[in-house]
Amino acid sequence: MVEVSKRDWKLFREKLPGWQESYMERLCREYVELLTCDKKGSERFWALEERIKKDRKAPGVILSVSKSDMLIDLVRLVQDEVIGLEDLSDFSEDVQERVKFMVQRW
């Protein structure tokens, strides 16, 4: 198991709520687009319901935070486009390199 530094762990816990808030703002804008398209009300309703059902499980919405899973969580956040690799610039070089490596391999 890879040991995460205290500094990186603290930084992750500080940044995560902001990343999630930004992601959910983006989701809300997408929902507005979905609701204002030229489809029947029932189609829009059920499409929104299905989309929210899917989105509520995304790491950008909900994430069980643990130090041992931090690197995997960062990879999931990058893969789900909640954040980009550039958002990791404040983290240690080790974390940045590991996340980049894992993103490229998965």
Side-chain angles (χ1 to χ4, degrees):
M1 174 146 333
V2 176
E3 182 65 29
V4 174
S5 73
K6 288 180 182 180
R7 180 191 166 280
D8 284 330
W9 173 236
K10 180 181 179 196
L11 188 59
F12 176 71
R13 288 179 299 154
E14 289 172 358
K15 288 185 173 277
L16 182 60
W19 290 339
Q20 288 177 312
E21 187 63 34
S22 294
Y23 180 74
M24 286 186 266
E25 284 290 338
R26 188 173 76 208
L27 290 179
C28 287
R29 288 191 298 274
E30 292 173 11
Y31 299 158
V32 168
E33 287 180 31
L34 190 150
L35 288 171
T36 57
C37 72
D38 291 335
K39 292 184 180 180
K40 293 193 298 186
S42 59
E43 291 175 9
R44 290 179 286 155
F45 176 87
W46 292 114
L48 178 63
E49 192 272 338
E50 187 62 31
R51 177 72 190 273
I52 289 173
K53 191 168 136 181
K54 178 187 135 257
D55 290 341
R56 72 176 355 139
K57 298 173 186 172
V61 175
I62 190 165
L63 190 64
S64 295
V65 178
S66 75
K67 189 174 179 181
S68 62
D69 291 336
M70 187 188 97
L71 292 174
I72 293 168
D73 291 338
L74 286 170
V75 170
R76 290 179 61 211
L77 290 166
V78 171
Q79 289 176 330
D80 282 5
E81 298 179 354
V82 176
I83 61 172
L85 290 171
E86 66 278 0
D87 292 306
L88 304 178
S89 63
D90 293 335
F91 288 86
S92 68
E93 284 293 319
D94 184 50
V95 166
Q96 292 180 57
E97 289 175 14
R98 287 176 186 275
V99 171
K100 186 176 180 180
F101 176 81
M102 293 165 73
V103 166
Q104 291 172 344
R105 298 294 183 250
W106 290 359

